[in-house]
Amino acid sequence: MLHKLTNRHKQTKTEQSKEEIELNNIPRHVAIIMDGNGRWANQRGLPRVAGHRAGMKVVKEITKAADEIGVKILTLYAFSTENWKRPREEVDYLMKLPQEYLATELDELNQRNVQVRLLGSEEGLPPHTLQAVKEAVEKTRHNTGLILNFALNYGSRSEIVQMVKTVAAKVQRHELSVDDIDEQLVSQFLQTRGLPDPDLLIRTKEIRLSNFMLWQLAYTELWFADVYWPDFTKKHFEEAIHDFQQRARRYGSI
Ligand SMILES: Cc1cc(N2CCCCCC2)n2ncc(-c3ccc(F)cc3)c2n1
């Protein structure tokens, strides 16, 4: 897409980014760590769960924006393996959000040809949570549009440990030899098998990876927004895409 002539000097950074997004250079896989929901609520004298609810509205907005701009895979870090350490009432609330989200959004996601996937361990998820997610995965299995990949009960180190155990057992059973083990084989034994690595990682508020897709993010462009997730907007998303397009990706070469 040709750049539109713009009066850049008069526009804000986010206004510039929207007009200058090249539709032929959209990151195929965008991953987002949606941080700061509890602190957003605390700042407003609200209970932490109000921040999670506000955060879910932003999930709907950004999922739509990603789909419209042509992102192929959107991975959202909804609940980490470390999140089980939070207060019981907060965890119980969080574990109800998948079914709440799907109850209102699944029909529209299906109409938009979106395929819902789960990244993470099913073990340990409450039955009501797992049932809602599995039903959404099944109902959207044949869709060929945006892959909406929810990282739920996900931790990268446990994913890597599980991969090592699986590969080691196959070597022990002589189903694999040590010489067969290379980066491609490792990727095939991770929970993200079949998906390309993220091209762009967006994170709100904190500048760290928090045990998220550590293997997969090896060559991913990182973009941080100094806002809490509930305050993240479509304009922030477009700015991240625009900045991604300004970076020449070298994958380690010069
Ligand atoms: C645990 C949790 C928390 C959760 N938050 C809202 C967004 C901010 C981050 C934390 C709170 N959201 N938002 C959507 C989901 C979800 C998960 C799976 C699924 F199939 C459909 C929707 C979700 N799940």
Side-chain angles (χ1 to χ4, degrees), residues 1-6 8 16-25 242 245-246:
M1 169 177 152
L2 292 177
H3 283 199
K4 286 170 67 177
L5 291 176
T6 60
R8 278 177 63 89
Q16 287 167 8
S17 62
K18 170 59 183 163
E19 288 201 19
E20 295 190 0
I21 287 176
E22 298 161 21
L23 295 183
N24 60 1
N25 180 23
H242 178 261
Q245 296 180 335
Q246 310 315 305

Side-chain angles (χ1 to χ4, degrees), residues 60-189:
K60 296 173 186 176
E61 184 183 339
I62 299 307
T63 300
K64 194 165 183 293
D67 188 22
E68 286 170 352
I69 206 168
V71 172
K72 300 294 182 227
I73 303 146
L74 180 65
T75 297
L76 301 176
Y77 203 8
F79 192 89
S80 73
T81 44
E82 287 72 30
N83 288 153
W84 294 112
K85 300 169 191 160
R86 289 187 178 179
R88 175 62 191 267
E89 57 275 16
E90 185 174 346
V91 170
D92 288 348
Y93 181 88
L94 287 165
M95 284 295 112
K96 293 190 183 105
L97 289 185
Q99 68 202 84
E100 257 197 60
Y101 175 92
L102 294 168
T104 59
E105 298 305 304
L106 187 56
D107 287 346
E108 186 186 328
L109 290 173
N110 231 348
Q111 284 157 19
R112 294 211 324 259
N113 196 24
V114 172
Q115 187 185 115
V116 175
R117 291 201 191 174
L118 172 64
L119 170 61
S121 172
E122 295 184 4
E123 198 180 325
L125 285 176
H128 63 83
T129 308
L130 185 55
Q131 183 190 341
V133 175
K134 289 182 101 170
E135 185 186 312
V137 168
E138 185 49 40
K139 279 188 174 177
T140 62
R141 175 180 308 281
H142 302 295
N143 291 346
T144 57
L146 172 75
I147 293 175
L148 181 54
N149 192 28
F150 285 102
L152 193 61
N153 193 23
Y154 173 79
S156 182
R157 285 189 170 184
S158 52
E159 177 191 27
I160 290 169
V161 167
Q162 188 51 54
M163 174 274 296
V164 173
K165 284 181 176 178
T166 304
V167 172
K170 285 181 173 293
V171 170
Q172 226 167 20
R173 295 193 299 263
H174 303 292
E175 295 168 11
L176 277 175
S177 77
V178 171
D179 291 342
D180 293 327
I181 301 173
D182 59 14
E183 290 186 17
Q184 189 184 1
L185 181 130
V186 166
S187 293
Q188 284 307 307
F189 283 96

